[in-house]
Amino acid sequence: AQSVTQPDIHITVSEGASLELRCNYSYGATPYLFWYVQSPGQGLQLLLKYFSGDTLVQGIKGFEAEFKRSQSSFNLRKPSVHWSDAAEYFCAVGASNNDMRFGAGTRLTVKP
Amino acid sequence: EAGVAQSPRYKIIEKRQSVAFWCNPISGHATLYWYQQILGQGPKLLIQFQNNGVVDDSQLPKDRFSAERLKGVDSTLKIQPAKLEDSAVYLCASSPTRTRRVDEQFFGPGTRLTVL
């Protein structure tokens, strides 16, 4: 079965600074990769997804992620963080039967 | 377009009591999921429905958890009897796919269950 590792439990960045959240996956076939964001008391919202094609994926709210097959990674990036980006971020990998496995999440704190 | 609806938003019960959660997916979405999210962890799939049939319930603790999706629309998840370790947020999600392939899932706001 597929699995996801998010090595950073908690990250703090200053507003305006760049951000990179790490995600490593394990899956024997072509992965379907997702990043979701969860604000306190809310459900998960999709930021972006990778199914195939261009390995650099653009998402909502200025986020992007790059799929690197050789490193089994799908890191999320944003060039300039806003205070409203403070939330929990989840990486997920989907299998062919739409079985989705989530990482444990990375909590982002934004300093003024 | 209305999103995934869940109720109640919060529930506090004593251990050994029973509880039920309700989910109404996005209209027309064939696939419905129930996830359990324990504090500090990512969501864990409990059960997946395709229309009103179960696709995957391998991680559902069937001795105490049950779920149904009558008429292939809304769904209920029940816990009976509840244990302390069932304290979590229960998320419902839906996706439009009618085939067994990967698709984006749309999540509801969740129900936060506290078992005392």
Side-chain angles (χ1 to χ4, degrees):
Chain A
Q2 68 274 35
S3 65
V4 176
T5 301
Q6 293 181 246
D8 305 303
I9 296 173
H10 184 206
I11 283 183
T12 299
V13 299
S14 298
E15 190 168 16
S18 63
L19 171 69
E20 182 169 27
L21 302 182
R22 296 183 291 164
C23 171
N24 293 98
Y25 68 90
S26 173
Y27 185 53
T30 300
Y32 301 88
L33 298 162
F34 305 79
W35 274 101
Y36 283 86
V37 61
Q38 186 178 35
S39 298
Q42 303 295 315
L44 280 71
Q45 180 186 22
L46 182 71
L47 288 176
L48 47 77
K49 61 186 178 184
Y50 172 79
F51 283 6
S52 65
D54 192 346
T55 56
L56 185 61
V57 181
Q58 301 298 318
I60 63 171
K61 305 184 180 185
F63 286 92
E64 66 177 26
E66 186 171 12
F67 170 55
K68 293 186 178 179
R69 184 185 299 273
S70 61
Q71 298 177 20
S72 297
S73 69
F74 189 57
N75 294 349
L76 182 71
R77 300 193 294 250
K78 186 169 185 177
S80 178
V81 170
H82 188 262
W83 64 266
S84 60
D85 293 324
E88 189 93 20
Y89 291 80
F90 292 94
C91 181
V93 58
S96 57
N97 62 352
N98 214 5
D99 176 11
M100 191 98 79
R101 300 295 171 101
F102 287 83
T106 298
R107 183 161 60 93
L108 174 65
T109 297
V110 180
K111 293 191 305 184
Chain B
E1 178 183 77
V4 177
Q6 290 188 248
S7 67
R9 291 295 310 276
Y10 305 91
K11 190 72 177 180
I12 300 174
I13 61 172
E14 303 271 336
K15 60 182 179 183
R16 290 188 290 275
Q17 286 186 322
S18 62
V19 64
F21 312 128
W22 175 81
C23 172
N24 191 27
I26 292 173
S27 177
H29 279 197
T31 310
L32 184 147
Y33 312 80
W34 282 103
Y35 289 89
Q36 180 191 58
Q37 185 178 19
I38 293 173
L39 186 64
Q41 299 181 18
K44 182 186 85 171
L45 179 70
L46 292 175
I47 189 166
Q48 176 184 346
F49 291 94
Q50 179 92 13
N51 298 308
N52 61 348
V54 175
V55 172
D56 182 0
D57 64 356
S58 57
Q59 298 188 87
L60 186 74
K62 298 181 185 65
D63 57 334
R64 298 183 300 106
F65 285 65
S66 64
E68 60 181 10
R69 189 184 184 197
L70 300 177
K71 302 180 181 178
V73 181
D74 56 354
S75 175
T76 55
L77 176 70
K78 296 179 182 177
I79 307 175
Q80 181 179 11
K83 293 185 175 181
L84 296 177
E85 58 261 36
D86 297 331
S87 294
V89 175
Y90 290 85
L91 294 165
C92 180
S94 68
S95 69
T97 183
R98 295 185 181 277
T99 61
R100 295 188 67 167
R101 62 175 183 82
V102 182
D103 203 349
E104 175 186 351
Q105 297 181 21
F106 297 80
F107 285 81
T111 296
R112 182 177 298 277
L113 173 67
T114 302
V115 182
L116 303 176

